[in-house]
Amino acid sequence: MKSISAKNLTKIYDNRVTALKNVSLDIEQGSFIAVMGHSGSGKSTLLQMVGLLDTPSEGEVIINGEDVSRLKKNDLAKMRMKTIGFVFQAFHLNPQLRAYENVMLPMLINPEYKTKADIQKKARELIDSVGLTERAEHYPNELSGGEQQRVAIARALANDPDFILADEPTGNLDSNNEESIFTLLKELAQSGKGVMVVSHNEAILDYADKVYYMKDGELLEERP
Ligand SMILES: Nc1ncnc2c1ncn2[C@@H]1O[C@H](COP(=O)(O)OP(=O)(O)OP(=O)(O)O)[C@@H](O)[C@H]1O
Ligand SMILES: [Mg+2]
């Protein structure tokens, strides 16, 4: 079973801000985990450690059985490309590129894809899979917030990662779009991805298989 296992993570910024305190957490294939908590409680910090965007001060992250602290820079980048897809609150789409072209981007650095035609085909399939067939040719500023987030999710899926990590994915959306994004993330979990979503949004309680709460850098299983 594929999993990300965070063990006793502590993160201290600048030798003084303790953003994570001894946090352990598992993300397994096929499950949808939510992490809630007040601003500044350490949610994004946790997601960054788990998603290999930053390294913990103490503790370890094991991905599919491999202790990532042992990986060299190149292997770490490869691991991240193949196993993790990120989704952010602000979408982070390239405004100069059409929807399907944004989805092509992560595949252009993946040596598994040999031709641009293959990449374009896969990008269009992903655009179809998030329900945007009709919008594939549009630029981000011609899409609604919910549609832009769907493009960002399609892009996160580009290299067929085992895990999708999302930081406040509905933070810029209204309640209709919020539901459709949580539904899409839930479907991804049901299709076998491991999904971890950080959110302030109470609506997530209806979708998550397990909810954690962060408080002052500690991860709790009960609402504080
Ligand atoms: N790069 C950094 N350097 C120094 N301190 C940081 C850094 N990133 C975060 N922090 C601090 O770590 C703590 C946790 O921040 P974090 O961004 O993880 O919180 P959060 O729960 O995601 O908050 P929000 O809900 O506002 O996004 C905060 O005190 C923050 O100021
Ligand atoms: Mg945050």
Side-chain angles (χ1 to χ4, degrees):
M1 159 91 87
K2 291 181 172 170
S3 67
I4 300 181
S5 186
K7 293 190 198 289
N8 307 106
L9 300 184
T10 292
K11 179 66 175 179
I12 303 170
Y13 288 114
D14 312 324
N15 285 323
R16 48 182 198 94
V17 181
T18 304
L20 287 184
K21 295 177 191 162
N22 203 29
V23 169
S24 298
L25 166 94
D26 288 319
I27 310 168
E28 290 178 344
Q29 267 189 303
S31 78
F32 185 138
I33 290 180
V35 178
M36 302 191 75
H38 292 298
S39 184
S41 59
K43 304 182 298 296
S44 295
T45 300
L46 175 58
L47 207 69
Q48 279 160 20
M49 305 296 131
V50 166
L52 312 184
L53 294 179
D54 197 357
T55 49
S57 309
E58 283 174 47
E60 53 199 23
V61 177
I62 316 277
I63 298 191
N64 299 338
E66 187 139 23
D67 178 350
V68 299
S69 70
R70 293 171 193 274
L71 295 176
K72 298 210 177 65
K73 212 173 161 196
N74 271 348
D75 291 331
L76 191 69
K78 213 179 285 172
M79 167 77 91
R80 195 158 52 215
M81 178 183 82
K82 291 194 166 170
T83 58
I84 295 167
F86 259 100
V87 178
F88 299 96
Q89 174 171 351
F91 320 136
H92 295 312
L93 299 176
N94 184 325
Q96 322 273 15
L97 299 178
R98 297 173 191 276
Y100 79 91
E101 291 170 332
N102 268 281
V103 178
M104 288 173 69
L105 275 187
M107 291 185 267
L108 296 172
I109 55 159
N110 185 344
E112 280 174 24
Y113 291 99
K114 299 294 181 235
T115 71
K116 214 161 173 187
D118 288 344
I119 292 175
Q120 193 175 127
K121 180 162 177 275
K122 173 83 184 189
R124 289 188 179 273
E125 285 167 10
L126 287 167
I127 286 281
D128 292 345
S129 77
V130 298
L132 289 179
T133 307
E134 309 295 315
R135 319 293 290 161
E137 310 283 334
H138 287 266
Y139 290 93
N141 70 359
E142 300 167 340
L143 300 173
S144 74
E147 288 169 343
Q148 288 181 65
Q149 195 59 300
R150 285 172 179 277
V151 175
I153 291 172
R155 180 185 55 187
L157 292 167
N159 289 321
D160 196 23
D162 303 318
F163 304 96
I164 295 290
L165 308 182
D167 196 346
E168 301 282 0
T170 64
N172 287 352
L173 303 180
D174 65 25
S175 62
N176 280 338
N177 278 310
E178 175 183 295
E179 278 177 35
S180 82
I181 292 299
F182 284 149
T183 300
L184 179 56
L185 290 168
K186 177 90 186 172
E187 286 166 1
L188 290 174
Q190 286 166 340
S191 79
K193 306 282 182 198
V195 177
M196 173 176 168
V197 180
V198 157
S199 184
H200 282 103
N201 192 333
E202 295 280 326
I204 201 169
L205 298 172
D206 295 336
Y207 298 86
D209 300 313
K210 178 144 186 74
V211 182
Y212 293 96
Y213 297 89
M214 289 228 57
K215 185 170 189 287
D216 300 332
E218 288 184 83
L219 191 74
L220 310 173
E221 303 214 4
E222 305 280 330
R223 190 183 280 260

